Amino acid sequence: VMSLSAKDKSVVKAIWGKISGKADEIGTEALGRMLTVYPQTKTYFSHWPDLSPGSAPVKGHAKKIMGAIGEAVGKTDDLVGALGPLSELHAFKLRVDPANFKILAHNLIVVIGAYYPADFTPEVQVSLDKFFSNLALALAEKYR
Amino acid sequence: MVEWTEFERSTIQSIFSKLDYDVAGGKALARCLVVYPWTQRYFGNFGNLYNAAAIMGNPKVAAHGKVVLQGLDKAVKNMDNIKAAYKELSVLHSEKLNVDPDNFKLLADCLTIVVAAQMGAAFTAQVQAAFQKFLAVVVSSLCRQYY
């Protein structure tokens, strides 16, 4: 894993702070895009009555995800520890193929890039991309 | 053969008609070199790639970005047979340039972000889906002649 440098951590905190006012909106957009652009991801949500972008289940779920990521932003020194319970949930109950974490991360990055084109420089992207990779690994930690 | 809907065709034509080929390709390539630094391995003769600022200001990166976008233009103009249109390009990338095909996807993702940043709200989920489908076909065609 490409570990987070001190600079990465501060860049991530800064960009997450910047987007925090629109976090739920961004999350909803990203999740909606994931379901649209990567339709195979819909297979995890067959229990939702409505899978359309911006629907209530999508909004609610995006809020959960963004909340969890926001917490992780504050715990970059020990992501594995911070994500232990969520990792157990994903490993034993949800059993989401970890390849999908990368897909969601990509869509979060596309949306943040679209909403904040001036702030989302390549340098910010590399730190955020590393953070999402580390987050995904921490989330998959308990899988096997 | 790849099937394109009318929406997909017009979306792709529209996106590329609005791209400044002199700028967008360079931006995407620079972003790729910064975000995925191992991609720098193919550009040993580009001079200063030591940090993000150097990469983003490097004239060879800008020039090569334009070359890449002109290559994509070929696909835009041959959407019904990108595989055939890209045969020589594929051989070039595999046998002469020896590029790991995984890198095509990385550059494609960076171009997606550049286009998203330029289009803002107009880069809807459906537009993103069409654009990423197009890039996936391009990438697949570039991989075709690898053995």
Side-chain angles (χ1 to χ4, degrees):
Chain A
V1 60
M2 302 167 216
S3 336
L4 298 171
S5 65
K7 180 173 174 203
D8 289 323
K9 293 175 188 180
S10 79
V11 166
V12 168
K13 286 172 171 44
I15 189 72
W16 208 258
K18 179 105 203 183
I19 75 158
S20 59
K22 295 199 170 182
D24 288 348
E25 191 184 323
I26 287 170
T28 301
E29 260 301 315
L31 198 56
R33 272 161 204 275
M34 185 188 82
L35 296 166
T36 305
V37 180
Y38 303 87
Q40 70 273 19
T41 58
K42 291 195 288 188
T43 57
Y44 291 98
F45 304 105
S46 52
H47 55 287
W48 284 357
D50 187 352
L51 274 160
S52 58
S55 67
V58 171
K59 271 184 170 171
H61 198 62
K63 202 176 153 103
K64 267 194 227 171
I65 293 174
M66 294 306 267
I69 298 178
E71 275 191 44
V73 168
K75 300 191 175 157
T76 48
D77 288 335
D78 181 17
L79 285 174
V80 171
L83 284 156
L86 271 175
S87 182
E88 286 192 14
L89 177 73
H90 284 75
F92 303 123
K93 185 153 181 269
L94 304 176
R95 286 175 291 192
V96 175
D97 187 324
N100 294 290
F101 303 151
K102 212 171 167 183
I103 292 176
L104 180 56
H106 167 72
N107 285 288
L108 278 164
I109 281 172
V110 167
V111 173
I112 292 172
Y115 272 54
Y116 300 95
D119 296 282
F120 201 59
T121 61
E123 285 152 291
V124 169
Q125 184 180 336
V126 63
S127 293
L128 192 61
D129 194 57
K130 283 174 76 177
F131 170 70
F132 284 148
S133 299
N134 279 268
L135 201 57
L137 277 169
L139 208 49
E141 177 71 17
K142 301 258 175 20
Y143 270 57
R144 53 180 179 175
Chain B
M1 203 183 88
V2 181
E3 283 183 30
W4 303 100
T5 64
E6 269 317 304
F7 173 79
E8 286 165 345
R9 281 181 199 277
S10 61
T11 295
I12 297 308
Q13 300 300 321
S14 169
I15 290 175
F16 279 86
S17 73
K18 296 192 178 102
L19 282 181
D20 181 348
Y21 282 24
D22 283 342
V23 167
K27 275 189 176 174
L29 184 58
R31 194 165 281 260
C32 189
L33 294 168
V34 170
V35 178
Y36 310 107
W38 52 93
T39 58
Q40 292 168 28
R41 74 187 305 283
Y42 302 107
F43 303 104
N45 61 342
F46 269 31
N48 187 355
L49 297 177
Y50 301 136
N51 53 47
I55 290 169
M56 277 138 70
N58 186 310
K60 287 190 171 183
V61 172
H64 195 67
K66 187 172 170 178
V67 167
V68 168
L69 223 19
Q70 284 164 342
L72 280 171
D73 189 70
K74 193 166 186 187
V76 175
K77 295 194 159 64
N78 289 280
M79 278 178 75
D80 285 315
N81 207 340
I82 297 175
K83 194 167 83 183
Y86 267 39
K87 189 154 178 225
E88 280 103 28
L89 270 174
S90 178
V91 171
L92 173 76
H93 282 75
S94 116
E95 297 188 6
K96 184 155 179 271
L97 305 176
N98 298 122
V99 179
D100 178 341
D102 191 63
N103 294 284
F104 304 148
K105 191 180 180 302
L106 300 178
L107 182 55
D109 283 351
C110 286
L111 184 60
T112 300
I113 287 150
V114 166
V115 169
Q118 183 175 312
M119 291 179 68
F123 196 67
T124 63
Q126 285 74 21
V127 168
Q128 181 182 342
F131 192 63
Q132 290 198 204
K133 176 177 167 177
F134 171 76
L135 289 177
V137 173
V138 163
V139 167
S140 163
S141 303
L142 262 179
C143 290
R144 209 61 182 73
Q145 303 300 325
Y146 274 69
Y147 288 100

